[in-house]
Amino acid sequence: MAASSSFLSTASLSNPKSTISFASSVSPAPIPSLRRVVFCSPFSHRRVMTVRSKIREIFMPALSSTMTEGKIVSWIKTEGEKLAKGESVVVVESDKADMDVETFYDGYLAAIVVGEGETAPVGAAIGLLAETEAEIEEAKNKAASKPSSSAVVPSPPPATSSPAPAAAASDGPRKTVATPHAKKLAKQHKVDIGSVAGTGPFGRITASDVEAAAGIAPTVTPPPPPPSPAAAPAPTAKATTTSSPPLLPDASIVPFTAMQSAVSKNMIESLSVPTFRVGYPVNTDALDALYEKVKPKGVTMTALLAKAAGMALAQHPVVNASCKDGKSFSYNSNINVAVAVAINGGLITPVLQDADKLDLYLLSEKWKELVGKAKSKQLQPHEYNSGTFTLSNLGMFGVDRFDAILPPGQGAIMAVGASKPTVVADKDGFFSVKNKMLVNVTADHRIVYGADLAAFLQTFAKIVENPDSLTL
Amino acid sequence: MQSAFSLSFSQSSLTLPNRPLCSPNAAPRNLRFCGLRREAFGFSPPKQLNSCRFQVKNRRIESFDYDLVIIGAGVGGHGAALHAVEKGLKTAIIEGDVVGGTCVNRGCVPSKALLAVSGRMRELQNEHHMKSFGLQVSAAGYDRQGVADHASNLATKIRNNLTNSMKALGVDILTGFGSVLGPQKVKYGKDNVITAKDIIIATGSVPFVPKGIEVDGKTVITSDHALKLESVPDWIAIVGSGYIGLEFSDVYTALGSEVTFIEALDQLMPGFDPEISKLAQRVLINPRKIDYHTGVFASKITPAKDGRPVMIELIDAKTKEHKDTLEVDAALIATGRAPFTNGLGLENINVATQRGFIPVDERMRVIDGNGKLVPNLYCIGDANGKLMLAHAASAQGISVVEQVTGRDHVLNHLSIPAACFTHPEISMVGLTEPQAREKAEKEGFKVSIAKTSFKANTKALAENEGEGLAKMIYRPDNGEILGVHIFGLHAADLIHEASNAIALGTRIQDIKLAVHAHPTLSEVVDELFKAAKVESPASTTPQSVKAAV
């Protein structure tokens, strides 16, 4: 994984387009130019040293550090097409965005191993690249012999249900008879079809038998419970086997998209971190006044709050740190404030890098750009996974306070509510009405202690209540 | 220059001076549908035509009962009959089973009805597809009897229209099994004998069932049974992956069955252009609940009985050793069609069939056992095996009538398109790429390919049906179109621009600049023409590559 992410960082920073070059499983030829030379030289025999096996695997790139599998959106090139180095070959959907993947090598796309709409784990071969046309055939054979996943998103069959399993199961299958769909699912989920118990007519193995063996909940109305879901081999145990309550009659099941799966995974991971919460009421009269002044210049409340948080973090570095291995503080040199944005079908956190250093107007511009990219699913990995602190605002809905869940890899997340006119009493017993915003920070107690967090919040409140410093 | 599809009226020596009503100004008679004229839809032609026939009768030189007798009232026979009446021939058509033959009752018509259902079913069930439009469809289901009725009602309607159209035109429909007694003499039914100046045999074909396969009509079926849709099996094995097997796989998978193909050759869909069949496999087979065995024969198929499923034994096509045994709920035999030529009395005129097919020359004239042409005897359609398609039969019928009424006519089979009505559709006309390259090598010219994707077409994208490919094989030196293949939405309708061009000998450079409406799928074909690079320039006056006589 480390190797591919290094490709990732160099490629994305140097490449102006949103493309990634995939790495090949074969080490690059030592002196590629030698192969182009035509003269017969005494050194020609040395060419044998250059890589002989000219069939390279194209594998699923890791488009983010959290990506474990990707879905092929579409193949830009088809089997047999010539590829030039740097050309986009396939579009892959990661948990965050759709990326064009380029080829590192010239050659021919000999075989497509994982087709459109199919998913493959990061690092798995998704296609084969042959250097010359002659090798396309060889590559195809190689592809055919690979245990490739040939099934696509299973579409639910119509109302006709399979007949009752009957006593066929007791008959004991003399040879494995499996339906076409069952075979495809078995390949996709890497289930050994021979070990699945068949409950279909005449003892045949049906799609639902394979799904049960793989531990996946079926995508349609639940089938009659299989007699013995035993014999499920180890690799399929990744799916959860907790029994879920039966579905209500009108329930519809919609599988997670890649982004939703990623959010779910992150949330579950966060359960292993010990967190605590501290709340603080912040007086926003001054901030609101400033906002009115700078709004015409394109500054948003998000930018104001992010800058305020950034400046406060500069004075309290431990809140900007994280605990990556459970036994050390990992202080970050930059203050990158990620802001949670709800987009259609999901949630993403574009990052405002160096929020403390950039001025307010620049920050706002950057923010607008990031939101645009987020909405069209074109965020680059470094634009969403480089956050050191997160800001989440639900004030626009009228929410007064809420608790955010700490994203993995960060030390703290700030949840901001709406700024509401509130009656306050001073020590002399006089009432006045002031705008109050309730801020609630969730932090990782392995590194951030109560006093640290409270002090941070005090600083934050001071900055917000004297906001002239924000415009510096 | 006569083209295969010329349906214009030309004044011939046999037509009479007072026939102003049979003029091109009459109602559009040239509408064809699946080889059927517009009369098939219940529009009856002007009554005055009957009077033409009476006058023709008086002019006949010899006293035959009829000018033309056609054995078989299928699409081929019907097409020939209508054209014959237009030309003023006294015509009789003999039918021993049902009018309309295979196409109307057991072929094109009911299968397209079922495919219409399967297409919609597939679309409605594709949640992803619906969502992309912003639509929500609650669980789509179907009633098997309702679907079967749609097909059979359509067949009945078309059959009735056909019969009425022929009756209205004055064609005598003679019921009974027909056979040739001798030159210009035909027997039908028990013992009715009639004489005719010319005879056309158009008896068609039946599904071919290889030996070892036991058909019971319920669990082991042919296309004849399948089109009645008496049941939708959970798992059906389809023997043969040509266009019939492919269309049925589309129907059955849309209705919820799983399919296993059994193909004797090493490739699925062997008859198509290889590039198209590769793409078709990717779209029509891989993502569906279909698997396949290639390079195997089904040596023995036993129907389901006594609580056992249908058993299919597979043997390797080359070594003939046993490979596998399949246990499925049903098996559909789609291994091609055999000509229906038994009992036709061919021995009476010394004609021997070759594997059941009646040998004919390029003008559909029957060739006897000594290699000589049998005078006044023709054979069209599936029975001669030249091109077993409904519209080919009817085109051949028209060609024969043209010849019989004094105009020589040779049908250019390379200009006849063919289509497979899966979703998306596949269509083709002319040569495949390997065939074109072979011809090019033999005759010494270069071949170029133009390709375009449906992904570039606005209408296709609007319908979210961007999956498709169109391909044109042509000669870059003179602009001749050698073949066009289309895989995509409405491919069966789009091919006709290309087939017309081939029929009329139109060169690419002469139609390149023709305008197509936007946004339509036809722009896919337009793109093909525009993408072609031809060396010789466009002509200012219409020219053809060669006169497709």
Side-chain angles (χ1 to χ4, degrees):
Chain A
M1 194 63 92
S4 51
S5 52
S6 70
F7 278 115
L8 202 68
S9 45
T10 49
S12 55
L13 286 175
S14 58
N15 207 327
K17 304 190 313 177
S18 63
T19 52
I20 297 253
S21 304
F22 56 80
S24 145
S25 61
V26 176
S27 55
I31 312 162
S33 56
L34 240 190
R35 284 188 268 115
R36 305 270 187 272
V37 173
V38 173
F39 59 76
C40 3
S41 68
F43 299 101
S44 59
H45 68 274
R46 291 244 188 105
R47 283 192 224 161
V48 177
M49 288 197 306
T50 62
V51 177
R52 268 297 120 184
S53 144
K54 300 220 188 87
I55 295 167
R56 305 180 198 278
E57 280 183 8
I58 304 172
F59 55 77
M60 175 69 73
L63 302 175
S64 74
S65 54
T66 51
M67 179 176 157
T68 52
E69 65 175 24
K71 185 159 104 163
I72 309 268
V73 174
S74 63
W75 279 93
I76 297 173
K77 299 284 180 186
T78 53
E79 279 185 8
E81 262 197 79
K82 197 165 158 57
L83 304 176
K85 182 163 111 181
E87 272 191 298
S88 296
V89 177
V90 61
V91 181
V92 171
E93 178 190 293
S94 71
D95 50 351
K96 308 268 188 358
D98 290 356
M99 309 286 297
D100 275 5
V101 176
E102 297 178 331
T103 162
F104 241 157
Y105 294 94
D106 290 334
Y108 295 85
L109 181 59
I112 291 177
V113 174
V114 176
E116 291 182 9
E118 294 173 21
T119 31
V122 165
I126 56 173
L128 292 178
L129 179 102
E131 279 216 11
T132 62
E133 277 199 272
E135 278 138 2
I136 292 181
E137 209 37 66
E138 194 189 319
K140 275 206 168 104
N141 294 336
K142 200 163 159 208
S145 62
K146 271 187 171 304
S148 52
S149 49
S150 55
V152 192
V153 179
S155 56
T160 55
S161 53
S162 54
S170 60
D171 200 351
R174 328 134 224 124
K175 58 187 262 308
T176 46
V177 176
T179 71
H181 194 202
K183 285 194 204 148
K184 287 198 171 160
L185 284 177
K187 247 184 166 183
Q188 184 187 12
H189 297 287
K190 306 211 178 21
V191 173
D192 172 21
I193 195 89
S195 63
V196 179
T199 64
F202 308 108
R204 68 171 74 127
I205 300 168
T206 62
S208 36
D209 292 330
V210 174
E211 282 174 336
I216 328 161
T219 49
V220 217
T221 52
S228 50
T236 65
K238 62 179 178 182
T240 167
T241 47
T242 55
S243 56
S244 42
L247 288 172
L248 296 175
D250 285 320
S252 65
I253 301 183
V254 180
F256 280 155
T257 60
M259 180 184 287
Q260 290 164 340
S261 300
V263 169
S264 171
K265 204 160 74 91
N266 285 346
M267 295 298 102
I268 292 182
E269 257 181 62
S270 73
L271 290 174
S272 60
V273 176
T275 55
F276 74 112
R277 290 151 181 74
V278 175
Y280 207 100
V282 176
N283 187 332
T284 56
D285 288 318
L287 187 71
D288 289 337
L290 175 63
Y291 179 54
E292 290 306 309
K293 274 213 299 228
V294 293
K295 200 158 83 166
K297 300 191 192 144
V299 177
T300 58
M301 188 50 94
T302 304
L304 284 168
L305 290 171
K307 179 126 179 91
M311 286 168 63
L313 285 170
Q315 299 177 38
H316 298 271
V318 75
V319 185
N320 193 44
S322 65
C323 186
K324 295 243 169 15
D325 55 4
K327 48 190 167 103
S328 58
F329 292 86
S330 183
Y331 289 99
N332 293 308
S333 46
N334 302 57
I335 298 180
N336 299 334
V337 176
V339 183
V341 171
I343 58 172
N344 200 2
L347 159 71
I348 198 150
T349 52
V351 175
L352 284 166
Q353 312 227 348
D354 292 319
D356 57 326
K357 301 210 176 65
L358 292 183
D359 83 42
L360 203 51
Y361 304 101
L362 205 57
L363 215 58
S364 299
E365 253 180 62
K366 269 241 96 184
W367 181 239
K368 207 161 99 175
E369 197 191 305
L370 285 170
V371 171
K373 278 196 194 171
K375 291 210 162 90
S376 54
K377 285 179 127 199
Q378 283 176 349
L379 278 182
Q380 298 289 302
H382 71 272
E383 287 171 331
Y384 55 75
N385 61 10
S386 53
T388 55
F389 179 86
T390 307
L391 176 64
S392 183
N393 184 357
L394 288 179
M396 66 289 270
F397 292 100
V399 166
D400 60 348
R401 60 158 288 185
F402 68 106
D403 294 332
I405 298 183
L406 188 62
Q410 288 188 10
I413 175 169
M414 175 185 284
V416 163
S419 175
K420 295 187 173 173
T422 318
V423 175
V424 288
D426 64 16
K427 56 182 174 14
D428 298 325
F430 287 110
F431 291 116
S432 56
V433 175
K434 301 234 190 282
N435 283 343
K436 258 201 197 322
M437 176 174 81
L438 293 173
V439 169
N440 202 16
V441 177
T442 308
D444 181 346
H445 205 296
R446 295 173 296 178
I447 49 167
V448 180
Y449 301 161
D452 300 325
L453 195 49
F456 164 75
L457 279 166
Q458 205 173 39
T459 312
F460 178 75
K462 245 203 233 124
I463 295 175
V464 169
E465 287 163 7
N466 302 293
D468 294 328
S469 51
L470 287 176
T471 52
L472 288 172
Chain B
M1 187 235 339
Q2 292 282 0
S3 81
F5 295 96
S6 98
L7 298 170
S8 56
F9 285 85
S10 40
Q11 295 295 305
S12 82
S13 53
L14 276 184
T15 58
L16 303 167
N18 50 342
R19 285 186 65 188
L21 306 141
C22 311
S23 73
N25 298 329
R29 320 163 54 85
N30 300 340
L31 271 175
R32 298 217 131 213
F33 173 77
C34 181
L36 314 172
R37 299 268 188 99
R38 78 187 257 285
E39 288 81 2
F41 292 102
F43 295 112
S44 46
K47 288 238 175 69
Q48 292 87 337
L49 266 180
N50 292 334
S51 62
C52 299
R53 184 173 56 80
F54 289 123
Q55 288 167 311
V56 172
K57 193 176 176 178
N58 294 337
R59 285 265 313 238
R60 266 183 297 116
I61 302 145
E62 296 147 58
S63 56
F64 288 105
D65 293 329
Y66 293 99
D67 293 322
L68 179 66
V69 162
I70 305 167
I71 306 179
V75 173
H78 177 263
L82 292 199
H83 196 57
V85 169
E86 266 177 36
K87 294 295 180 191
L89 301 178
K90 178 166 193 231
T91 317
I93 194 161
I94 300 172
E95 178 52 55
D97 185 20
V98 271
V99 168
T102 298
C103 170
V104 173
N105 301 292
R106 305 174 289 272
C108 326
V109 170
S111 66
K112 268 64 250 167
L114 292 183
L115 282 162
V117 172
S118 73
R120 277 170 181 69
M121 196 59 188
R122 198 181 288 287
E123 222 190 322
L124 291 173
Q125 279 172 348
N126 189 343
E127 280 182 25
H128 177 73
H129 186 67
M130 288 288 125
K131 245 185 158 179
S132 68
F133 287 120
L135 294 174
Q136 285 139 339
V137 177
S138 55
Y142 69 91
D143 164 40
R144 187 204 54 78
Q145 192 58 51
V147 174
D149 288 343
H150 172 56
S152 68
N153 291 345
L154 183 64
T156 307
K157 187 150 62 151
I158 307 275
R159 181 171 59 239
N160 290 341
N161 285 343
L162 229 82
T163 317
N164 293 341
S165 72
M166 286 196 291
K167 278 205 192 121
L169 280 177
V171 175
D172 284 343
I173 303 179
L174 308 169
T175 314
F177 204 84
S179 59
V180 178
L181 280 182
Q184 296 173 311
K185 209 174 359 186
V186 171
K187 173 176 118 152
Y188 71 93
K190 274 274 245 9
D191 46 18
N192 308 301
V193 178
I194 48 172
T195 55
K197 177 162 172 300
D198 291 290
I199 304 172
I200 300 181
I201 297 175
T203 47
S205 62
V206 290
F208 169 64
V209 178
K211 68 171 172 40
I213 300 181
E214 193 190 320
V215 173
D216 73 342
K218 295 240 172 324
T219 55
V220 179
I221 56 179
T222 64
S223 57
D224 290 353
H225 311 107
L227 289 168
K228 296 202 210 124
L229 204 69
E230 281 166 357
S231 70
V232 177
D234 285 340
W235 186 8
I236 182 166
I238 298 183
V239 185
S241 66
Y243 71 90
I244 295 182
L246 213 53
E247 284 184 3
F248 275 109
S249 79
D250 195 292
V251 173
Y252 280 116
T253 48
L255 296 181
S257 311
E258 300 194 30
V259 167
T260 297
F261 272 117
I262 299 169
E263 171 57 53
L265 298 181
D266 293 325
Q267 305 269 46
L268 286 183
M269 300 181 264
F272 298 102
D273 178 87
E275 203 172 347
I276 297 284
S277 71
K278 199 164 60 164
L279 183 60
Q281 194 168 327
R282 225 167 26 100
V283 178
L284 299 176
I285 297 191
N286 294 350
R288 297 183 182 175
K289 296 180 187 168
I290 305 176
D291 69 351
Y292 50 88
H293 302 265
T294 49
V296 288
F297 288 132
S299 62
K300 186 166 152 65
I301 303 187
T302 18
K305 53 172 168 250
D306 307 328
R308 304 191 76 230
V310 172
M311 307 287 281
I312 304 180
E313 288 189 18
L314 297 178
I315 58 171
D316 185 281
K318 296 191 193 67
T319 65
K320 308 284 188 288
E321 51 181 69
H322 176 85
K323 272 197 104 170
D324 202 355
T325 305
L326 300 182
E327 295 174 17
V328 293
D329 297 318
L332 170 67
I333 312 301
T335 43
R337 298 184 63 88
F340 187 64
T341 48
N342 278 341
L344 270 177
L346 296 170
E347 58 283 356
N348 299 336
I349 34 170
N350 189 22
V351 170
T353 57
Q354 292 164 353
R355 294 176 303 126
F357 294 108
I358 296 179
V360 296
D361 72 351
E362 65 202 350
R363 290 175 170 75
M364 307 305 130
R365 299 181 293 203
V366 176
I367 302 172
D368 71 9
N370 301 329
K372 292 224 196 30
L373 293 177
V374 179
N376 307 104
L377 183 66
Y378 301 84
C379 175
I380 59 173
D382 284 5
N384 71 25
K386 269 190 176 296
L387 187 56
M388 295 171 79
L389 294 174
H391 46 280
S394 130
Q396 288 169 352
I398 292 175
S399 168
V400 168
V401 171
E402 287 289 296
Q403 291 170 53
V404 157
T405 50
R407 271 164 308 275
D408 189 27
H409 186 279
V410 176
L411 180 58
N412 176 12
H413 285 82
L414 280 182
S415 70
I416 298 183
C420 179
F421 296 83
T422 46
H423 299 93
E425 296 174 352
I426 311 175
S427 64
M428 66 211 78
V429 65
L431 304 170
T432 62
E433 193 179 328
Q435 287 169 343
R437 292 202 185 277
E438 201 186 308
K439 184 171 182 201
E441 260 208 56
K442 255 201 296 206
E443 297 177 20
F445 56 80
K446 281 217 308 254
V447 157
S448 286
I449 316 274
K451 267 191 274 197
T452 162
S453 166
F454 275 60
K455 278 195 177 58
N457 181 278
T458 309
K459 187 89 187 321
L461 291 176
E463 304 272 344
N464 268 334
E465 298 272 356
E467 192 74 69
L469 174 73
K471 163 175 171 169
M472 177 167 71
I473 307 158
Y474 64 100
R475 279 181 67 157
D477 54 349
N478 63 6
E480 179 187 348
I481 302 175
L482 298 169
V484 173
H485 303 263
I486 308 182
F487 172 65
L489 186 62
H490 288 306
D493 300 316
L494 297 176
I495 195 71
H496 296 96
E497 242 184 300
S499 62
N500 275 357
I502 295 182
L504 299 171
T506 315
R507 305 175 310 163
I508 296 170
Q509 58 270 42
D510 293 329
I511 50 173
K512 228 177 169 161
L513 298 183
V515 180
H516 292 70
H518 178 80
T520 57
L521 292 170
S522 308
E523 290 177 286
V524 168
V525 182
D526 186 32
E527 285 298 315
L528 275 186
F529 293 143
K530 291 193 158 60
K533 296 195 190 351
V534 178
E535 287 148 31
S536 55
S539 52
T540 44
T541 57
Q543 251 187 62
S544 319
V545 173
K546 56 175 200 271
V549 169

